[in-house]
Amino acid sequence: MVEVWVASDTERALFYEQPIADQRHSLQAAPTIHGDMPDRNDLIRAALFHDVGKRHSGLGIIGRSIVSALGKIGIKLRGRFAGYLDHGRIGAEELRELGFESVVVEFAAHHHAERPRTVGPQDWDCLMRADQPGKAPR
């Protein structure tokens, strides 16, 4: 399915460099957007690539859970642990350098934060619903 939505071999490789759990999550989010807005390939691509920055941390499920919990209680982390918590910014920089659409970059950068002004409310709500069903739109 991902082959339909990627634009190049570089993008395909980037998608498959993600851990399996992140690929699965993305492949659950993308069809949700396709169902809501089938003509919005940019939003589908935002769903596919929003977590690419996580792959740099090299953390498994248990490590991710521990780092997320430590981050929520405000413990200062370093190295790959800090990188995991900063995966949105890291991924967005990479996506920007590779020439992805603005909404793909912005969703990667802000999907754990407030909606940036450059992304319309309807697009943002669709992306947020696809990223995590039941998550309140921002």
Side-chain angles (χ1 to χ4, degrees), residues 54-96:
K54 288 182 178 181
R55 74 190 200 290
H56 298 292
S57 69
L59 295 175
I61 300 292
I62 294 171
R64 289 174 174 211
S65 298
I66 292 169
V67 167
S68 293
L70 294 173
K72 284 184 181 184
I73 61 173
I75 294 179
K76 184 77 171 166
L77 301 172
R78 296 177 185 235
R80 67 186 185 139
F81 304 123
Y84 177 77
L85 293 178
D86 200 20
H87 73 273
R89 182 192 60 77
I90 292 167
E93 286 177 9
E94 187 172 14
L95 294 167
R96 184 176 294 110

mmCIF file of all heavy atoms in Angstrom, residues 54-96:
data_model
loop_
_atom_site.group_PDB
_atom_site.id
_atom_site.type_symbol
_atom_site.label_atom_id
_atom_site.label_comp_id
_atom_site.label_asym_id
_atom_site.label_seq_id
_atom_site.Cartn_x
_atom_site.Cartn_y
_atom_site.Cartn_z
ATOM 1 N N LYS A 54 11.909 9.097 14.927
ATOM 2 C CA LYS A 54 12.071 8.106 15.995
ATOM 3 C C LYS A 54 13.142 7.072 15.673
ATOM 4 O O LYS A 54 13.758 6.513 16.576
ATOM 5 C CB LYS A 54 10.747 7.371 16.256
ATOM 6 C CG LYS A 54 9.705 8.203 16.939
ATOM 7 C CD LYS A 54 8.459 7.368 17.198
ATOM 8 C CE LYS A 54 7.402 8.155 17.929
ATOM 9 N NZ LYS A 54 6.213 7.328 18.200
ATOM 10 N N ARG A 55 13.361 6.814 14.399
ATOM 11 C CA ARG A 55 14.269 5.733 14.034
ATOM 12 C C ARG A 55 15.711 6.014 14.451
ATOM 13 O O ARG A 55 16.494 5.102 14.625
ATOM 14 C CB ARG A 55 14.180 5.427 12.543
ATOM 15 C CG ARG A 55 14.812 6.438 11.647
ATOM 16 C CD ARG A 55 14.459 6.160 10.183
ATOM 17 N NE ARG A 55 15.369 6.793 9.266
ATOM 18 C CZ ARG A 55 15.442 8.093 9.064
ATOM 19 N NH1 ARG A 55 14.639 8.923 9.721
ATOM 20 N NH2 ARG A 55 16.307 8.583 8.213
ATOM 21 N N HIS A 56 16.053 7.261 14.654
ATOM 22 C CA HIS A 56 17.412 7.623 15.035
ATOM 23 C C HIS A 56 17.740 7.236 16.479
ATOM 24 O O HIS A 56 18.908 7.093 16.822
ATOM 25 C CB HIS A 56 17.661 9.118 14.836
ATOM 26 C CG HIS A 56 17.537 9.544 13.415
ATOM 27 N ND1 HIS A 56 18.423 9.150 12.433
ATOM 28 C CD2 HIS A 56 16.611 10.311 12.795
ATOM 29 C CE1 HIS A 56 18.064 9.670 11.274
ATOM 30 N NE2 HIS A 56 16.960 10.379 11.472
ATOM 31 N N SER A 57 16.720 7.070 17.313
ATOM 32 C CA SER A 57 16.975 6.764 18.724
ATOM 33 C C SER A 57 17.346 5.299 18.944
ATOM 34 O O SER A 57 18.014 4.973 19.918
ATOM 35 C CB SER A 57 15.753 7.114 19.579
ATOM 36 O OG SER A 57 14.686 6.225 19.296
ATOM 37 N N GLY A 58 16.875 4.419 18.070
ATOM 38 C CA GLY A 58 17.186 3.005 18.221
ATOM 39 C C GLY A 58 16.549 2.358 19.441
ATOM 40 O O GLY A 58 17.039 1.346 19.927
ATOM 41 N N LEU A 59 15.471 2.934 19.929
ATOM 42 C CA LEU A 59 14.808 2.390 21.116
ATOM 43 C C LEU A 59 13.710 1.409 20.733
ATOM 44 O O LEU A 59 12.992 1.620 19.763
ATOM 45 C CB LEU A 59 14.188 3.518 21.945
ATOM 46 C CG LEU A 59 15.155 4.525 22.564
ATOM 47 C CD1 LEU A 59 14.371 5.635 23.255
ATOM 48 C CD2 LEU A 59 16.092 3.844 23.541
ATOM 49 N N GLY A 60 13.571 0.369 21.522
ATOM 50 C CA GLY A 60 12.480 -0.580 21.358
ATOM 51 C C GLY A 60 11.260 -0.109 22.140
ATOM 52 O O GLY A 60 11.258 0.974 22.735
ATOM 53 N N ILE A 61 10.256 -0.947 22.177
ATOM 54 C CA ILE A 61 8.987 -0.598 22.830
ATOM 55 C C ILE A 61 9.185 -0.261 24.310
ATOM 56 O O ILE A 61 8.656 0.733 24.797
ATOM 57 C CB ILE A 61 7.969 -1.764 22.688
ATOM 58 C CG1 ILE A 61 7.685 -2.060 21.223
ATOM 59 C CG2 ILE A 61 6.693 -1.467 23.450
ATOM 60 C CD1 ILE A 61 6.950 -1.003 20.486
ATOM 61 N N ILE A 62 9.936 -1.062 25.022
ATOM 62 C CA ILE A 62 10.130 -0.817 26.453
ATOM 63 C C ILE A 62 10.905 0.484 26.670
ATOM 64 O O ILE A 62 10.518 1.318 27.499
ATOM 65 C CB ILE A 62 10.827 -2.012 27.127
ATOM 66 C CG1 ILE A 62 9.905 -3.227 27.083
ATOM 67 C CG2 ILE A 62 11.228 -1.680 28.564
ATOM 68 C CD1 ILE A 62 10.543 -4.528 27.519
ATOM 69 N N GLY A 63 11.972 0.669 25.920
ATOM 70 C CA GLY A 63 12.747 1.903 26.036
ATOM 71 C C GLY A 63 11.920 3.127 25.723
ATOM 72 O O GLY A 63 12.000 4.150 26.417
ATOM 73 N N ARG A 64 11.103 3.049 24.692
ATOM 74 C CA ARG A 64 10.238 4.170 24.316
ATOM 75 C C ARG A 64 9.259 4.495 25.440
ATOM 76 O O ARG A 64 9.017 5.662 25.749
ATOM 77 C CB ARG A 64 9.448 3.835 23.058
ATOM 78 C CG ARG A 64 10.278 3.790 21.807
ATOM 79 C CD ARG A 64 9.422 3.310 20.655
ATOM 80 N NE ARG A 64 10.145 3.374 19.400
ATOM 81 C CZ ARG A 64 9.581 3.600 18.234
ATOM 82 N NH1 ARG A 64 8.272 3.759 18.148
ATOM 83 N NH2 ARG A 64 10.307 3.640 17.144
ATOM 84 N N SER A 65 8.692 3.464 26.027
ATOM 85 C CA SER A 65 7.724 3.673 27.112
ATOM 86 C C SER A 65 8.378 4.339 28.312
ATOM 87 O O SER A 65 7.823 5.276 28.895
ATOM 88 C CB SER A 65 7.104 2.341 27.529
ATOM 89 O OG SER A 65 6.393 1.776 26.458
ATOM 90 N N ILE A 66 9.560 3.874 28.669
ATOM 91 C CA ILE A 66 10.267 4.447 29.820
ATOM 92 C C ILE A 66 10.648 5.899 29.542
ATOM 93 O O ILE A 66 10.424 6.783 30.374
ATOM 94 C CB ILE A 66 11.511 3.597 30.165
ATOM 95 C CG1 ILE A 66 11.060 2.238 30.708
ATOM 96 C CG2 ILE A 66 12.414 4.323 31.160
ATOM 97 C CD1 ILE A 66 12.174 1.217 30.843
ATOM 98 N N VAL A 67 11.208 6.154 28.364
ATOM 99 C CA VAL A 67 11.608 7.520 28.006
ATOM 100 C C VAL A 67 10.392 8.447 27.978
ATOM 101 O O VAL A 67 10.460 9.578 28.470
ATOM 102 C CB VAL A 67 12.365 7.527 26.660
ATOM 103 C CG1 VAL A 67 12.513 8.928 26.113
ATOM 104 C CG2 VAL A 67 13.732 6.876 26.825
ATOM 105 N N SER A 68 9.287 7.982 27.430
ATOM 106 C CA SER A 68 8.077 8.809 27.387
ATOM 107 C C SER A 68 7.606 9.150 28.799
ATOM 108 O O SER A 68 7.247 10.302 29.081
ATOM 109 C CB SER A 68 6.966 8.093 26.627
ATOM 110 O OG SER A 68 7.313 7.962 25.269
ATOM 111 N N ALA A 69 7.612 8.173 29.685
ATOM 112 C CA ALA A 69 7.189 8.410 31.070
ATOM 113 C C ALA A 69 8.134 9.387 31.764
ATOM 114 O O ALA A 69 7.685 10.311 32.456
ATOM 115 C CB ALA A 69 7.139 7.086 31.833
ATOM 116 N N LEU A 70 9.434 9.204 31.584
ATOM 117 C CA LEU A 70 10.398 10.112 32.190
ATOM 118 C C LEU A 70 10.242 11.530 31.643
ATOM 119 O O LEU A 70 10.336 12.509 32.391
ATOM 120 C CB LEU A 70 11.829 9.602 31.965
ATOM 121 C CG LEU A 70 12.190 8.295 32.667
ATOM 122 C CD1 LEU A 70 13.569 7.812 32.221
ATOM 123 C CD2 LEU A 70 12.125 8.445 34.182
ATOM 124 N N GLY A 71 9.992 11.638 30.362
ATOM 125 C CA GLY A 71 9.773 12.951 29.755
ATOM 126 C C GLY A 71 8.533 13.633 30.296
ATOM 127 O O GLY A 71 8.532 14.848 30.532
ATOM 128 N N LYS A 72 7.481 12.876 30.532
ATOM 129 C CA LYS A 72 6.232 13.457 31.033
ATOM 130 C C LYS A 72 6.373 13.993 32.450
ATOM 131 O O LYS A 72 5.680 14.938 32.824
ATOM 132 C CB LYS A 72 5.096 12.437 30.960
ATOM 133 C CG LYS A 72 4.586 12.259 29.567
ATOM 134 C CD LYS A 72 3.407 11.321 29.512
ATOM 135 C CE LYS A 72 2.995 11.193 28.057
ATOM 136 N NZ LYS A 72 1.809 10.398 27.881
ATOM 137 N N ILE A 73 7.264 13.388 33.227
ATOM 138 C CA ILE A 73 7.436 13.893 34.591
ATOM 139 C C ILE A 73 8.565 14.916 34.677
ATOM 140 O O ILE A 73 8.915 15.379 35.764
ATOM 141 C CB ILE A 73 7.631 12.750 35.618
ATOM 142 C CG1 ILE A 73 8.872 11.921 35.312
ATOM 143 C CG2 ILE A 73 6.383 11.886 35.687
ATOM 144 C CD1 ILE A 73 9.201 10.889 36.398
ATOM 145 N N GLY A 74 9.129 15.271 33.537
ATOM 146 C CA GLY A 74 10.075 16.372 33.475
ATOM 147 C C GLY A 74 11.526 16.039 33.743
ATOM 148 O O GLY A 74 12.329 16.932 33.990
ATOM 149 N N ILE A 75 11.886 14.779 33.690
ATOM 150 C CA ILE A 75 13.286 14.409 33.894
ATOM 151 C C ILE A 75 14.074 14.742 32.640
ATOM 152 O O ILE A 75 13.688 14.387 31.531
ATOM 153 C CB ILE A 75 13.413 12.920 34.271
ATOM 154 C CG1 ILE A 75 12.771 12.699 35.638
ATOM 155 C CG2 ILE A 75 14.867 12.464 34.253
ATOM 156 C CD1 ILE A 75 12.793 11.289 36.138
ATOM 157 N N LYS A 76 15.177 15.440 32.820
ATOM 158 C CA LYS A 76 16.041 15.853 31.704
ATOM 159 C C LYS A 76 16.794 14.635 31.185
ATOM 160 O O LYS A 76 17.456 13.930 31.943
ATOM 161 C CB LYS A 76 17.019 16.920 32.190
ATOM 162 C CG LYS A 76 17.879 17.494 31.123
ATOM 163 C CD LYS A 76 17.110 18.486 30.297
ATOM 164 C CE LYS A 76 18.086 19.201 29.362
ATOM 165 N NZ LYS A 76 17.401 19.913 28.330
ATOM 166 N N LEU A 77 16.681 14.375 29.894
ATOM 167 C CA LEU A 77 17.335 13.227 29.279
ATOM 168 C C LEU A 77 18.382 13.698 28.287
ATOM 169 O O LEU A 77 18.338 14.821 27.801
ATOM 170 C CB LEU A 77 16.291 12.346 28.586
ATOM 171 C CG LEU A 77 15.186 11.800 29.501
ATOM 172 C CD1 LEU A 77 14.111 11.123 28.675
ATOM 173 C CD2 LEU A 77 15.762 10.842 30.524
ATOM 174 N N ARG A 78 19.308 12.795 27.965
ATOM 175 C CA ARG A 78 20.381 13.116 27.031
ATOM 176 C C ARG A 78 20.476 12.049 25.948
ATOM 177 O O ARG A 78 19.874 10.996 26.054
ATOM 178 C CB ARG A 78 21.714 13.186 27.772
ATOM 179 C CG ARG A 78 21.792 14.274 28.774
ATOM 180 C CD ARG A 78 23.126 14.203 29.502
ATOM 181 N NE ARG A 78 23.164 15.175 30.558
ATOM 182 C CZ ARG A 78 24.097 16.084 30.683
ATOM 183 N NH1 ARG A 78 25.083 16.142 29.821
ATOM 184 N NH2 ARG A 78 24.057 16.941 31.669
ATOM 185 N N GLY A 79 21.292 12.344 24.954
ATOM 186 C CA GLY A 79 21.611 11.380 23.914
ATOM 187 C C GLY A 79 20.389 10.882 23.169
ATOM 188 O O GLY A 79 19.485 11.642 22.852
ATOM 189 N N ARG A 80 20.388 9.581 22.898
ATOM 190 C CA ARG A 80 19.292 9.020 22.102
ATOM 191 C C ARG A 80 17.954 9.096 22.817
ATOM 192 O O ARG A 80 16.909 9.107 22.180
ATOM 193 C CB ARG A 80 19.616 7.596 21.663
ATOM 194 C CG ARG A 80 19.694 6.587 22.761
ATOM 195 C CD ARG A 80 20.167 5.257 22.206
ATOM 196 N NE ARG A 80 20.145 4.240 23.227
ATOM 197 C CZ ARG A 80 19.753 3.016 23.036
ATOM 198 N NH1 ARG A 80 19.371 2.622 21.834
ATOM 199 N NH2 ARG A 80 19.753 2.148 24.020
ATOM 200 N N PHE A 81 17.967 9.184 24.154
ATOM 201 C CA PHE A 81 16.715 9.316 24.900
ATOM 202 C C PHE A 81 16.101 10.692 24.650
ATOM 203 O O PHE A 81 14.908 10.813 24.394
ATOM 204 C CB PHE A 81 16.949 9.083 26.390
ATOM 205 C CG PHE A 81 17.591 7.762 26.690
ATOM 206 C CD1 PHE A 81 18.787 7.691 27.379
ATOM 207 C CD2 PHE A 81 17.017 6.575 26.255
ATOM 208 C CE1 PHE A 81 19.393 6.473 27.644
ATOM 209 C CE2 PHE A 81 17.614 5.352 26.507
ATOM 210 C CZ PHE A 81 18.808 5.305 27.204
ATOM 211 N N ALA A 82 16.931 11.724 24.700
ATOM 212 C CA ALA A 82 16.456 13.065 24.383
ATOM 213 C C ALA A 82 16.038 13.133 22.918
ATOM 214 O O ALA A 82 15.045 13.775 22.571
ATOM 215 C CB ALA A 82 17.543 14.100 24.675
ATOM 216 N N GLY A 83 16.784 12.459 22.058
ATOM 217 C CA GLY A 83 16.455 12.421 20.637
ATOM 218 C C GLY A 83 15.103 11.796 20.373
ATOM 219 O O GLY A 83 14.357 12.243 19.495
ATOM 220 N N TYR A 84 14.769 10.766 21.130
ATOM 221 C CA TYR A 84 13.457 10.141 20.966
ATOM 222 C C TYR A 84 12.352 11.149 21.287
ATOM 223 O O TYR A 84 11.373 11.269 20.553
ATOM 224 C CB TYR A 84 13.315 8.894 21.838
ATOM 225 C CG TYR A 84 11.948 8.286 21.718
ATOM 226 C CD1 TYR A 84 11.610 7.532 20.598
ATOM 227 C CD2 TYR A 84 10.976 8.503 22.681
ATOM 228 C CE1 TYR A 84 10.334 7.003 20.449
ATOM 229 C CE2 TYR A 84 9.705 7.968 22.548
ATOM 230 C CZ TYR A 84 9.391 7.222 21.431
ATOM 231 O OH TYR A 84 8.132 6.708 21.290
ATOM 232 N N LEU A 85 12.515 11.881 22.382
ATOM 233 C CA LEU A 85 11.503 12.869 22.753
ATOM 234 C C LEU A 85 11.434 14.023 21.757
ATOM 235 O O LEU A 85 10.400 14.672 21.631
ATOM 236 C CB LEU A 85 11.777 13.413 24.158
ATOM 237 C CG LEU A 85 11.610 12.412 25.295
ATOM 238 C CD1 LEU A 85 11.958 13.068 26.628
ATOM 239 C CD2 LEU A 85 10.200 11.823 25.332
ATOM 240 N N ASP A 86 12.511 14.261 21.041
ATOM 241 C CA ASP A 86 12.585 15.353 20.066
ATOM 242 C C ASP A 86 12.421 14.833 18.628
ATOM 243 O O ASP A 86 12.824 15.484 17.675
ATOM 244 C CB ASP A 86 13.936 16.067 20.234
ATOM 245 C CG ASP A 86 13.943 17.458 19.638
ATOM 246 O OD1 ASP A 86 12.856 18.045 19.436
ATOM 247 O OD2 ASP A 86 15.050 17.958 19.364
ATOM 248 N N HIS A 87 11.811 13.660 18.488
ATOM 249 C CA HIS A 87 11.730 13.022 17.168
ATOM 250 C C HIS A 87 10.965 13.863 16.145
ATOM 251 O O HIS A 87 11.260 13.803 14.961
ATOM 252 C CB HIS A 87 11.110 11.624 17.259
ATOM 253 C CG HIS A 87 9.633 11.626 17.510
ATOM 254 N ND1 HIS A 87 9.093 11.671 18.763
ATOM 255 C CD2 HIS A 87 8.590 11.575 16.650
ATOM 256 C CE1 HIS A 87 7.776 11.652 18.678
ATOM 257 N NE2 HIS A 87 7.433 11.598 17.400
ATOM 258 N N GLY A 88 10.008 14.651 16.596
ATOM 259 C CA GLY A 88 9.245 15.478 15.652
ATOM 260 C C GLY A 88 10.122 16.493 14.950
ATOM 261 O O GLY A 88 10.112 16.607 13.719
ATOM 262 N N ARG A 89 10.902 17.230 15.730
ATOM 263 C CA ARG A 89 11.796 18.240 15.146
ATOM 264 C C ARG A 89 12.860 17.583 14.275
ATOM 265 O O ARG A 89 13.136 18.040 13.166
ATOM 266 C CB ARG A 89 12.472 19.064 16.245
ATOM 267 C CG ARG A 89 13.387 20.157 15.698
ATOM 268 C CD ARG A 89 14.259 20.775 16.787
ATOM 269 N NE ARG A 89 15.120 19.796 17.431
ATOM 270 C CZ ARG A 89 16.254 19.305 16.902
ATOM 271 N NH1 ARG A 89 16.646 19.685 15.708
ATOM 272 N NH2 ARG A 89 16.981 18.432 17.581
ATOM 273 N N ILE A 90 13.429 16.494 14.754
ATOM 274 C CA ILE A 90 14.476 15.793 14.013
ATOM 275 C C ILE A 90 13.937 15.285 12.680
ATOM 276 O O ILE A 90 14.548 15.477 11.625
ATOM 277 C CB ILE A 90 15.052 14.641 14.859
ATOM 278 C CG1 ILE A 90 15.820 15.210 16.056
ATOM 279 C CG2 ILE A 90 15.926 13.713 14.022
ATOM 280 C CD1 ILE A 90 16.158 14.187 17.131
ATOM 281 N N GLY A 91 12.783 14.644 12.719
ATOM 282 C CA GLY A 91 12.173 14.141 11.493
ATOM 283 C C GLY A 91 11.788 15.255 10.540
ATOM 284 O O GLY A 91 11.987 15.155 9.328
ATOM 285 N N ALA A 92 11.250 16.347 11.086
ATOM 286 C CA ALA A 92 10.841 17.479 10.244
ATOM 287 C C ALA A 92 12.032 18.080 9.511
ATOM 288 O O ALA A 92 11.926 18.409 8.323
ATOM 289 C CB ALA A 92 10.143 18.536 11.093
ATOM 290 N N GLU A 93 13.152 18.219 10.188
ATOM 291 C CA GLU A 93 14.348 18.754 9.529
ATOM 292 C C GLU A 93 14.771 17.858 8.368
ATOM 293 O O GLU A 93 15.109 18.335 7.287
ATOM 294 C CB GLU A 93 15.493 18.886 10.535
ATOM 295 C CG GLU A 93 15.320 20.027 11.497
ATOM 296 C CD GLU A 93 16.417 20.101 12.546
ATOM 297 O OE1 GLU A 93 17.427 19.368 12.438
ATOM 298 O OE2 GLU A 93 16.265 20.906 13.483
ATOM 299 N N GLU A 94 14.735 16.564 8.614
ATOM 300 C CA GLU A 94 15.107 15.612 7.562
ATOM 301 C C GLU A 94 14.133 15.686 6.384
ATOM 302 O O GLU A 94 14.544 15.711 5.224
ATOM 303 C CB GLU A 94 15.137 14.211 8.158
ATOM 304 C CG GLU A 94 15.666 13.157 7.254
ATOM 305 C CD GLU A 94 15.854 11.831 7.972
ATOM 306 O OE1 GLU A 94 15.345 11.640 9.100
ATOM 307 O OE2 GLU A 94 16.504 10.975 7.369
ATOM 308 N N LEU A 95 12.851 15.725 6.680
ATOM 309 C CA LEU A 95 11.838 15.797 5.633
ATOM 310 C C LEU A 95 11.968 17.085 4.829
ATOM 311 O O LEU A 95 11.821 17.084 3.605
ATOM 312 C CB LEU A 95 10.443 15.670 6.249
ATOM 313 C CG LEU A 95 10.131 14.308 6.888
ATOM 314 C CD1 LEU A 95 8.876 14.396 7.745
ATOM 315 C CD2 LEU A 95 10.013 13.218 5.832
ATOM 316 N N ARG A 96 12.250 18.186 5.514
ATOM 317 C CA ARG A 96 12.440 19.477 4.833
ATOM 318 C C ARG A 96 13.632 19.385 3.871
ATOM 319 O O ARG A 96 13.534 19.806 2.721
ATOM 320 C CB ARG A 96 12.672 20.591 5.852
ATOM 321 C CG ARG A 96 12.774 21.977 5.242
ATOM 322 C CD ARG A 96 12.909 23.077 6.285
ATOM 323 N NE ARG A 96 11.695 23.189 7.092
ATOM 324 C CZ ARG A 96 11.589 22.844 8.383
ATOM 325 N NH1 ARG A 96 12.624 22.366 9.036
ATOM 326 N NH2 ARG A 96 10.458 22.980 9.029
#
